Amino acid sequence: MEVLYELLFDYTLRTVAIGSALLGIVSGVLGSYVVLRRQSLLGDAMSHAALPGIAIAFLLSGSKNSVFLLIGAGLSGWFVTLLIFTVVKNSKIKFDSALAMGLSVFFGLGLVLLTIIQKMPDASQAGLDKFLFGQAAALTTEDIKIMGVMGGISIFLVFLFWKEFKISTFDPEFAASIGLKVKFLDIFITSLVVIAIVLGLQTVGVVLMSSMIVAPAVAARQWTDRLGLMMALSGFFGALAGVIGSLISSQISRMPTGPAIVVTISFIVLLSILFSPKHGIVVDLLKKRKNRDSMRLDAILEELFNLGEKHNDPCYPHSIKLLKIMYSNYTNFEKNLVKLKEKGLVAQIEGDKWALTDNGVIEVKKRGFE
Amino acid sequence: MDNVNETDTSDLALEITDLTVAYDNKPVLWDIDLNVPKGILLAIAGPNGAGKTTLIKAVQGLVSSAAGRVLVYGETYEKNRKLIGYVPQRGSVDWDFPTSVIDVVKMGSYGSLGWIKRPGTKEHNHARDCLEKVGMLEYEKRQISELSGGQQQRVFLARALIQDASVYLMDEPFQGVDATTEKAIISILKELRSRGKTVIAVHHDLQTIKEYFDWVTLLNVRLIDSGPVDRVFTTENLNKTYGGKINFIRDITPGQAVGS
């Protein structure tokens, strides 16, 4: 309760929560396209590559103004994406190798620059390392405004170019055949993803930001087969994880926000994979079990029917002793007989004899046995 | 090639001159000259790697050509793009994409809608009509991952029908479909022809070319021959195209059209 009270009335906490929610929505919506285009690892490379951009922006501007730093991050993330595509296109290096190299080279460069900056005598440089794992508490109202405007524009563009983005993701060749500029759309979507990543850097950090892009979309995909709903859900999951994660980190001292948010979203992914009604593992297992059980019941009905046929009476009563010997390999044979009795398909006669009822015969014929 | 003389150019649906396509300096299509008259069903046949798919793509500018010119109804492809309907190989997309059957069909209307505008009631009804034509109306709300191969192919066909094009380019429309679907597709192609449309399809099954198509283009990087099936679909031409590796049609006398 205290946390809720703080959320409403504590300025820092409120700022943090709004910022994290915004970042969750934007990365959730854009992340849907990243996941559907199978570019999850590209998101990882982009976010890691943002680090040298931040450092260089600081070195050039000498200010910690987040606008400069985030522009640097965006340009750097964008540059590495183009570089990866150029390398793949013009060399024999494959996409996964190019990604891994782009990621580690730029992240390494970023760490080197960060170390150099921290050794500089000026005191104002402290705090850049918050971009590694994120520090939501450092968000200012100014930052929130930037996030709101940039995120709002990005989501608006996704709505505006809904059908263009959709078809160039589903079937780029067909999209090109009807005259859409598919390469332009690719760059367009990639740029929006870069914006989403940049908006999350202060809160989640370069190391874990890609999971904010990928995880909400993966979770959302479990619950729906419709693109629009998937994006909405993904944004919702992202926001939820953002808020819960920031609250956790605000309650535990020295806990960086990034890991707290990522653990939260991972939990949501786990729940979705297990319990979603359409693709969930648990639902799937239950369905299979139910199926198996009803098949066992059907098999018993069919066998009783066939046995009865030999006496020219489908409702002929058979002794339980005989049945138990004949069907000793059936799992839960007696229990299933009782289940069938409860359904009125089988009757217990003279204590130890079992027979199909008229309804049972109808049921067998309905299923096309005989 | 003498097929150029077979028709008057004003009656051509497609006019391909000197088309050459190369990947990494290796020619995939070499100096193709091909004229396709309006209102026919044309099969493109040839061995694997002959450039059949590349030809279909190069006509639409989906792969860049090293040289050559393509005219659709007498104009460049860019100008007459809306006259072309395209059915790509169904394996070229991810059928797990979160969308429904009717949505995929509506994608065929995106070209005529232009940027930003969304399909409305008119497109929705049109899409349902096209689904009905391919016998898939009852599946309109299905998630596309639940479709069988034949159903996927029908959905792709419906998406091309909604384009209401004059020339249809189809990449292996019969690939991996059941007999019922094959019959359904061919009757739709014949219906298109009866409305004066031209259908150009990459086709693998040599046994059915005579039965399904009017014209055939034999391709193996170079154009071997193209024209009416009766004249072009001969053992001699097939040997040239496939390098004598097709002995399953050996009961045909040389020079005689296969299946006639």
Side-chain angles (χ1 to χ4, degrees):
Chain A
M1 282 326 287
E2 206 181 316
V3 177
L4 273 182
Y5 180 84
E6 281 181 27
L7 191 58
L8 289 173
F9 300 107
D10 182 293
Y11 167 79
T12 314
L13 207 54
R14 205 173 52 205
T15 314
V16 165
I18 294 173
S20 314
L22 274 174
L23 120 86
I25 292 170
V26 180
S27 61
V29 169
L30 268 312
S32 297
Y33 272 125
V34 174
V35 168
L36 291 174
R37 292 171 158 252
R38 297 158 188 253
Q39 292 182 332
S40 304
L41 288 170
L42 192 61
D44 208 16
M46 279 180 198
S47 61
H48 278 80
L51 192 60
I54 292 166
I56 291 170
F58 175 78
L59 287 172
L60 290 180
S61 71
S63 101
K64 275 197 331 185
N65 183 328
S66 40
V67 177
F68 287 118
L69 301 185
L70 293 186
I71 288 174
L75 287 177
S76 175
W78 219 85
F79 175 72
V80 82
T81 310
L82 288 188
L83 191 68
I84 287 167
F85 281 123
T86 313
V87 165
V88 172
K89 203 179 165 196
N90 298 308
S91 75
K92 287 206 184 284
I93 298 171
K94 298 279 181 262
F95 189 58
D96 59 331
S97 312
L99 270 177
M101 276 164 57
L103 184 154
S104 44
V105 167
F106 274 74
F107 186 57
L109 179 67
L111 287 178
V112 169
L113 290 174
L114 214 58
T115 315
I116 292 173
I117 288 169
Q118 265 157 352
K119 289 207 169 131
M120 279 164 40
D122 191 352
S124 73
Q125 78 276 25
L128 275 196
D129 55 338
K130 74 176 182 205
F131 282 102
L132 277 178
F133 291 107
Q135 192 185 348
L139 285 178
T140 63
T141 316
E142 185 74 5
D143 294 333
I144 302 287
K145 279 182 192 153
I146 297 170
M147 288 170 84
V149 172
M150 294 301 288
I153 293 175
S154 305
I155 291 178
F156 174 71
L157 289 173
V158 168
F159 276 105
L160 196 60
F161 295 103
W162 182 259
K163 79 176 196 301
E164 284 78 13
F165 284 177
K166 182 172 166 181
I167 194 170
S168 73
T169 301
F170 172 63
D171 193 346
E173 219 163 61
F174 186 78
S177 86
I178 60 173
L180 290 177
K181 304 276 169 268
V182 174
K183 272 189 191 133
F184 166 74
L185 287 168
D186 280 349
I187 295 173
F188 195 170
I189 295 178
T190 307
S191 307
L192 293 180
V193 173
V194 169
I195 290 175
I197 286 175
V198 164
L199 291 186
L201 289 182
Q202 278 172 291
T203 314
V204 183
V206 297
V207 178
L208 295 172
M209 187 53 210
S210 72
S211 60
M212 267 320 270
I213 294 284
V214 177
V218 168
R221 182 69 186 88
Q222 296 292 316
W223 297 90
T224 176
D225 284 328
R226 283 169 52 201
L227 182 60
L229 205 54
M230 176 183 168
M231 281 194 178
L233 264 180
S234 181
F236 171 71
F237 287 152
L240 191 67
V243 173
I244 294 176
S246 332
L247 290 182
I248 292 174
S249 98
S250 74
Q251 300 301 307
I252 302 169
S253 75
R254 302 184 60 81
M255 163 74 88
T257 331
I261 291 180
V262 168
V263 168
T264 312
I265 190 66
S266 307
F267 190 64
I268 295 177
V269 170
L270 185 70
L271 287 182
S272 303
I273 289 176
L274 285 177
F275 298 112
S276 78
K278 272 197 173 156
H279 311 281
I281 293 173
V282 171
V283 175
D284 213 44
L285 282 177
L286 286 178
K287 247 189 237 160
K288 270 185 195 148
R289 216 176 107 180
K290 209 180 149 199
N291 219 339
R292 197 186 56 200
D293 288 350
S294 85
M295 272 167 76
R296 281 181 183 152
L297 294 184
D298 284 351
I300 293 175
L301 283 182
E302 193 190 352
E303 286 299 322
L304 287 177
F305 185 84
N306 289 339
L307 273 182
E309 288 280 272
K310 286 178 191 152
H311 301 271
N312 290 322
D313 172 15
C315 299
Y316 188 89
H318 308 280
S319 141
I320 186 70
K321 282 179 193 156
L322 168 97
L323 294 173
K324 266 166 83 176
I325 295 167
M326 281 187 78
Y327 304 114
S328 57
N329 58 339
Y330 276 47
T331 317
N332 298 335
F333 181 76
E334 282 187 271
K335 258 192 213 164
N336 285 337
L337 267 184
V338 174
K339 268 190 202 163
L340 286 168
K341 184 181 158 189
E342 281 161 9
K343 289 184 175 190
L345 301 175
V346 162
Q348 197 171 6
I349 298 162
E350 299 161 22
D352 65 341
K353 286 188 176 173
W354 292 80
L356 276 182
T357 62
D358 290 341
N359 279 340
V361 175
I362 292 168
E363 190 69 21
V364 172
K365 290 192 171 163
K366 201 163 75 190
R367 304 209 176 165
F369 297 139
E370 291 176 68
Chain B
M1 278 338 112
D2 58 358
N3 65 68
V4 179
N5 307 324
E6 280 175 18
T7 37
D8 175 4
T9 44
S10 66
D11 276 336
L12 291 178
L14 203 62
E15 204 181 336
I16 301 173
T17 322
D18 300 334
L19 183 70
T20 297
V21 177
Y23 295 144
D24 296 332
N25 289 328
K26 211 178 120 205
V28 187
L29 286 175
W30 188 252
D31 200 18
I32 305 289
D33 294 296
L34 176 62
N35 288 338
V36 181
K38 292 174 188 170
I40 60 158
L41 302 184
L42 169 79
I44 300 177
N48 291 333
K52 304 182 292 292
T53 297
T54 307
L55 179 61
I56 293 250
K57 287 185 183 173
V59 165
Q60 307 176 76
L62 298 181
V63 296
S64 49
S65 45
R69 192 185 61 155
V70 176
L71 296 180
V72 180
Y73 271 62
E75 290 284 355
T76 59
Y77 174 72
E78 284 76 14
K79 265 193 184 161
N80 273 348
R81 194 189 293 280
K82 289 201 170 120
L83 296 182
I84 288 206
Y86 179 39
V87 181
Q89 283 184 24
R90 70 185 156 81
S92 64
V93 304
D94 174 14
W95 289 93
D96 273 334
F97 192 84
T99 192
S100 62
V101 165
I102 187 99
D103 249 17
V104 172
V105 178
K106 280 190 210 165
M107 287 178 186
S109 69
Y110 286 6
S112 57
L113 280 172
W115 285 83
I116 296 172
K117 250 176 88 183
R118 308 259 182 107
T121 322
K122 188 179 138 222
E123 286 75 21
H124 185 81
N125 292 335
H126 195 179
R128 295 188 83 233
D129 290 344
C130 294
L131 273 176
E132 187 160 27
K133 267 187 201 159
V134 300
M136 288 286 291
L137 188 54
E138 58 185 303
Y139 296 90
E140 62 171 326
K141 294 199 173 88
R142 281 284 178 92
Q143 152 68 14
I144 55 169
S145 65
E146 295 167 13
L147 302 178
S148 72
Q151 291 169 336
Q152 293 174 352
Q153 196 66 59
R154 288 175 191 225
V155 170
F156 261 17
L157 194 60
R159 183 178 68 174
L161 291 180
I162 199 178
Q163 292 186 281
D164 200 23
S166 301
V167 184
Y168 283 94
L169 299 171
M170 305 188 179
D171 202 345
E172 302 202 32
F174 300 104
Q175 202 239 330
V177 305
D178 53 274
T180 330
T181 301
E182 186 158 328
K183 290 263 152 34
I185 293 177
I186 197 66
S187 78
I188 288 164
L189 300 195
K190 285 185 171 156
E191 196 252 343
L192 286 172
R193 178 182 58 189
S194 73
R195 289 196 280 136
K197 317 275 187 186
T198 311
V199 177
I200 300 169
V202 172
H203 191 60
H204 259 305
D205 184 8
L206 295 178
Q207 315 280 3
T208 52
I209 280 188
K210 173 80 183 167
E211 185 190 338
Y212 292 169
F213 294 93
D214 315 316
W215 274 43
V216 63
T217 292
L218 294 171
L219 191 70
N220 192 351
V221 183
R222 291 162 193 273
L223 187 82
I224 307 298
D225 203 353
S226 181
V229 174
D230 286 334
R231 183 181 66 70
V232 174
F233 204 53
T234 61
T235 311
E236 191 195 339
N237 271 338
L238 286 173
N239 279 334
K240 267 198 237 166
T241 313
Y242 289 85
K245 280 177 216 139
I246 36 150
N247 34 20
F248 59 92
I249 336 186
R250 77 178 94 83
D251 56 332
I252 287 95
T253 49
Q256 191 193 350
V258 175
S260 60

